[in-house]
Amino acid sequence: MSEINNEELARIINKGFDGVQIQINGLEGRFDGLENRFDGLENRFDGLEKRMDSVDEKLEYIDARLGRLGNDVKELRGELVYRHEFEDALSRIKL
């Protein structure tokens, strides 16, 4: 078995560290890619949240309008004369 001098040992260890550094750099690139994708998702969710707020406002408006229309219909029912009542009253007037 041959002995390894300090310089060869240092070169071997340095080569191992270079391989680890390459792997770390690769992971950093992948994490940067993931971070960019998450930023993109966050932006999309922000846009979705704004759209949902707009939909909520429109639904509140529609709900208020339907409430007013419901009240108007109730008022109209009180003033409504049904057909059979009208025909009955008309026939009595003719007599």
Side-chain angles (χ1 to χ4, degrees), residues 6-7 29 33 36 38 43 46 54 68 80 83:
N6 286 341
E7 285 181 29
N36 289 339
F38 280 123
N43 290 337
D46 288 345
S54 174
R68 286 192 295 273
L80 201 93
R83 183 174 190 93

Side-chain angles (χ1 to χ4, degrees), residues 14-79:
N14 191 32
K15 190 175 182 180
F17 281 129
D18 286 345
V20 170
Q21 187 64 36
I22 289 170
Q23 289 177 351
I24 289 173
N25 288 341
L27 287 175
E28 286 177 356
R30 290 177 67 187
F31 282 126
D32 288 344
L34 283 174
E35 187 175 1
N36 289 339
R37 289 178 70 185
F38 280 123
D39 288 344
L41 284 173
E42 186 175 359
N43 290 337
R44 289 177 69 184
F45 280 122
D46 288 345
L48 183 59
E49 187 176 2
K50 288 177 185 175
R51 289 177 63 190
M52 291 302 293
D53 289 343
S54 174
V55 168
D56 283 343
E57 289 175 10
K58 290 176 183 176
L59 286 175
E60 288 175 11
Y61 172 78
I62 290 170
D63 187 48
R65 287 284 291 156
L66 285 174
R68 286 192 295 273
L69 286 172
N71 289 336
D72 290 347
V73 168
K74 284 180 185 177
E75 285 182 32
L76 288 173
R77 277 192 195 149
E79 298 175 17

